Amino acid sequence: LSILLNLILFRLLAPRLGADLYHATYYRNLLPAWPVPRVVTVHDMIHELMPANPGDPTAARKARAVRRADRLLCDSAHTRRDLLAHFDLPDGKTRVVHLGSEVRAQPRPDRPLVHPYLLHVGDRAGYKNGEALLKALGAADDLKSRFHVVYFGGRPFTEAERAAIVQQGLAAQVV
């Protein structure tokens, strides 16, 4: 329902706001006829390079968005190389814009995180493969002793995930 409501409101309100640019969210083209320049951020080429779900529309939606975009932003030089190798694009259409922040966060007193940590963002299933991170860290004693793991986003841990955390000897290091 929220997706449908978002689509309806965007189509009604966006053209009236006088925007100079349209930056599509996750390759969605909500207003195909809107006559403003379009920017698309490409985070990775995983759906094209390692397709896991034959029914996943992401690669096709991304291809349409890439062809329609006036400018393509890539999170890394590696993603840019993959994008250029996969699509026949003019070199000047792409630019690397790294994600990041200059904000220096401090641990909250009620949740201190003083150890270096590996951050996993989003759902842990599918191509994000949160389980592989646990196995890799559990198998590397030098990393296991130096890093904690912070999973941010996604659903609460399942019983199977909690058991895997314990099995890898990471119960005190996973948040």
Side-chain angles (χ1 to χ4, degrees):
L1 180 62
S2 64
I3 293 172
L4 180 61
L5 183 58
N6 183 46
L7 174 63
I8 292 168
L9 289 174
F10 184 79
R11 286 188 173 174
L12 286 173
L13 298 176
R16 296 181 182 144
L17 297 176
D20 298 318
L21 180 75
Y22 176 55
H23 191 164
T25 303
Y26 206 59
Y27 316 119
R28 297 196 190 281
N29 189 6
L30 299 180
L31 280 170
W34 201 15
V36 297
R38 293 168 185 275
V39 174
V40 172
T41 299
V42 178
H43 299 283
D44 58 51
M45 295 295 292
I46 195 74
H47 292 90
E48 293 78 10
L49 299 175
M50 301 173 71
N53 270 337
D56 185 352
T58 305
R61 194 167 49 226
K62 184 191 301 180
R64 285 190 301 274
V66 164
R67 285 192 294 275
R68 178 83 160 97
D70 296 292
R71 178 69 68 149
L72 297 160
L73 307 179
C74 299
D75 292 352
S76 68
H78 189 90
T79 296
R80 182 177 180 269
R81 278 192 305 271
D82 288 347
L83 178 70
L84 292 173
H86 193 78
F87 293 101
D88 182 26
L89 300 170
D91 202 38
K93 189 173 180 175
T94 63
R95 174 169 285 161
V96 174
V97 178
H98 298 285
L99 300 177
S101 170
E102 293 298 320
V103 174
R104 300 285 186 240
Q106 297 297 318
R108 292 181 1 198
D110 61 329
R111 287 192 172 177
L113 192 58
V114 296
H115 299 284
Y117 60 90
L118 303 173
L119 177 65
H120 184 284
V121 178
D123 193 12
R124 294 174 303 280
Y127 76 94
K128 292 275 187 157
N129 207 345
E131 184 181 350
L133 175 59
L134 287 178
K135 287 180 181 176
L137 192 60
D141 289 336
D142 59 326
L143 296 177
K144 190 178 190 176
S145 66
R146 294 185 0 230
F147 291 99
H148 285 210
V149 178
V150 174
Y151 286 102
F152 183 82
R155 66 199 182 290
F157 289 125
T158 65
E159 286 297 322
E161 287 173 317
R162 283 195 284 276
I165 291 167
V166 170
Q167 181 183 9
Q168 295 297 330
L170 298 168
Q173 292 168 247
V174 175
V175 179

